[in-house]
Amino acid sequence: MAQRGRAGRTERPRTRAASVVVPFPRTVSGDRLDLGPLVPSGRSLLVAFAALGGVLLALVLARETSLFAVQTIEVSGGSAAVDRQVRRVLRERTGESLFALDLEAARIDVATLPTVAAVAFDRAYPHTLRVTVIPERPVAVVRQGAAAFVVSERGRVIARAERTAQPDLARIWIGRDVTLEPGATVEGDLRTAVGAVAPLAGIRFPSRVVSVTTTEGLTMRLRSGLELRLGDTRDVDLKLAVAARVIRVLPAGSGYLDISVPDRPVAGPASLESQVEVESPASTGA
């Protein structure tokens, strides 16, 4: 009976998973996309154009009216005399629109001053133009007969001067065939000489340089009468630093000090009949 019962059962066929097609919803207009929500409304366009018009109107007012006119020119960075020169050059720009001010043209005008090495501007709205200058740094007085000229470390002639002006600066003598004018830049041997004495400006050196020659190597003559022989123009800063220390321990009657080789300074009398190698204070402490 049991076997008959199993035989009487019929197995049900297994059902396979059916694929289902999901229709993509279409718009009423068919396959075309509805761009209506992406198009700005007329009110939005009106507001945008009104804002743009306001910006353009503000720019016109800023450029063409006295709304941002320059009323004050503040100058800093130089001496009182240099600041006055800068204000004098820029005074014609008073009343111009600060917004439309041509700063490049103003920079060129200020840079023509022999006393100014560099300049920067800042528009301080609504009515102030701030000017920061870097003045030329004087390092030597060039003597040409009875005339004297102050020269900067960049080799620029700053101004004519009295022969006794800037007594702490080195003196460099030149011939009358060299033309010097304020604002010009020196060249050749004179430029070499100016570069050589530049490290001495603003420091305490044992004696002032009264003349510089470059014909047979760089040579400086001090007010004390001592002659400094530096050789070529390499390592001038180091050579002068060594000279400043060695001069204090030179034998009496020394006429020259040769520091062309900084670690082996040699001193001798003006007659050149004998030479004494000087041990610098720096090497003594080694």
Side-chain angles (χ1 to χ4, degrees), residues 201-255:
I203 68 170
R204 297 184 63 182
F205 199 69
S207 183
R208 194 187 78 179
V209 176
V210 295
S211 67
V212 180
T213 59
T214 59
T215 52
E216 296 180 359
L218 188 60
T219 302
M220 299 180 185
R221 184 169 295 278
L222 307 183
R223 173 182 284 179
S224 62
L226 183 69
E227 186 179 273
L228 294 182
R229 302 175 182 176
L230 288 80
D232 57 39
T233 56
R234 292 177 298 179
D235 300 323
V236 171
D237 292 16
L238 173 60
K239 294 173 183 178
L240 291 176
V242 171
R245 299 174 68 89
V246 171
I247 288 174
R248 297 182 176 90
V249 297
L250 281 178
S254 296

Side-chain angles (χ1 to χ4, degrees), residues 33 127 202 261:
L33 295 177
H127 302 295
V261 181

Side-chain angles (χ1 to χ4, degrees), residues 65-86:
T65 70
S66 60
L67 181 64
F68 294 110
V70 176
Q71 298 180 359
T72 305
I73 298 177
E74 297 180 355
V75 184
S76 62
S79 63
V82 172
D83 291 351
R84 283 195 301 270
Q85 293 174 358
V86 173

